[in-house]
């Protein structure tokens, strides 16, 4: 879908819902100094044009027993369109992988993985990621402390 032009009011609305996606239309309208009808219409337009992809709750991985975070760099044995599509599809089906990026440099992909602990990650690496036929090599970096984790985009 073609992206439409957005104005300063649209940006205010985006900042507001990005900060708290549970606000009502009335609460958003109060924060951006508009009435509810134009805010509702603008939100629908921003959603339809793809500026707002979805609304989510940010969960606490530690409390859910998934606080062991690993950044895993993956190099495929060889690369072509079919192999890349297959890898992306397979990774998309793995719940432990919460983010996946096709990157430049020595590796082809960067994965962010949540696991309960090192032992679970080792089993994941051997039994799940290791089962991907095109996998060449893997390099893992373990998060020791989260220094900054923003869920929004600076706008």
């Amino acid at each position: 879908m073609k992206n439409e032009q957005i104005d300063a009011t649209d940006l205010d609305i985006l900042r507001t819902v990005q900060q708290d996606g549970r606000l009502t239309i009335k609460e958003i309208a109060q924060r951006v100094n508009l009435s509810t009808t134009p805010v509702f219409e603008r939100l629908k337009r921003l959603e339809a044009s793809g500026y707002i992809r979805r609304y989510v709750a940010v969960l606490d991985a530690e409390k859910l027993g998934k606080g062991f975070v690993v950044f895993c760099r993956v190099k495929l044995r060889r690369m072509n369109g079919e192999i890349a599509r297959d890898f992306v599809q397979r990774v998309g089906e793995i719940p432990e992988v919460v983010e996946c990026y096709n990157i430049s440099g020595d590796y082809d992909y960067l994965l962010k993985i949540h696991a309960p602990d090192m032992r679970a990650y080792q089993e994941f690496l051997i039994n799940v990621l290791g089962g991907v036929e095109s996998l060449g090599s893997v390099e893992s970096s373990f998060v020791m402390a989260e220094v900054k984790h923003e869920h929004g985009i600076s706008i």
Side-chain angles (χ1 to χ4, degrees):
M1 180 175 283
K2 181 183 164 204
N3 287 343
E4 301 172 13
Q5 291 293 337
I6 60 173
D7 62 17
T9 303
D10 290 331
L11 290 173
D12 284 344
I13 291 170
L14 290 172
R15 281 187 205 97
T16 302
V17 297
Q18 180 174 248
Q19 190 174 29
D20 186 351
R22 293 189 64 182
L23 294 174
T24 65
I25 298 292
K26 183 177 179 181
E27 291 168 324
I28 297 166
Q30 289 171 342
R31 292 186 187 193
V32 300
N33 298 315
L34 280 179
S35 62
T36 57
T37 300
V39 168
F40 177 80
E41 291 170 356
R42 284 173 179 261
L43 270 173
K44 290 301 167 199
R45 180 176 45 80
L46 291 166
E47 291 167 357
S49 60
Y51 286 97
I52 299 172
R53 292 178 18 193
R54 64 184 174 144
Y55 297 90
V56 298
V58 179
L59 306 180
D60 187 313
E62 195 71 41
K63 288 185 178 188
L64 292 167
K66 303 284 180 143
F68 187 73
V69 180
V70 182
F71 286 94
C72 178
R73 287 167 297 285
V74 172
K75 182 161 188 68
L76 302 180
R77 278 191 257 164
R78 58 188 194 93
M79 175 69 90
N80 65 35
E82 183 180 336
I83 291 169
R85 281 187 296 278
D86 180 63
F87 179 79
V88 168
Q89 179 185 347
R90 300 249 344 239
V91 165
E93 296 168 355
I94 301 172
E96 293 89 350
V97 178
V98 296
E99 296 177 41
C100 175
Y101 302 94
N102 181 217
I103 58 173
S104 65
D106 293 334
Y107 289 88
D108 300 312
Y109 293 93
L110 175 66
L111 311 179
K112 181 179 179 184
I113 298 161
H114 279 267
D117 53 31
M118 176 69 83
R119 181 69 159 180
Y121 176 69
Q122 180 186 29
E123 289 179 23
F124 164 82
L125 196 58
I126 293 167
N127 299 319
V128 178
L129 205 54
V132 176
E133 190 175 316
S134 60
L135 188 72
S137 62
V138 171
E139 183 177 293
S140 302
S141 295
F142 307 103
V143 174
M144 297 188 303
E146 185 175 275
V147 177
K148 181 178 180 180
H149 186 160
E150 293 293 326
H151 297 282
I153 298 170
S154 178
I155 52 174

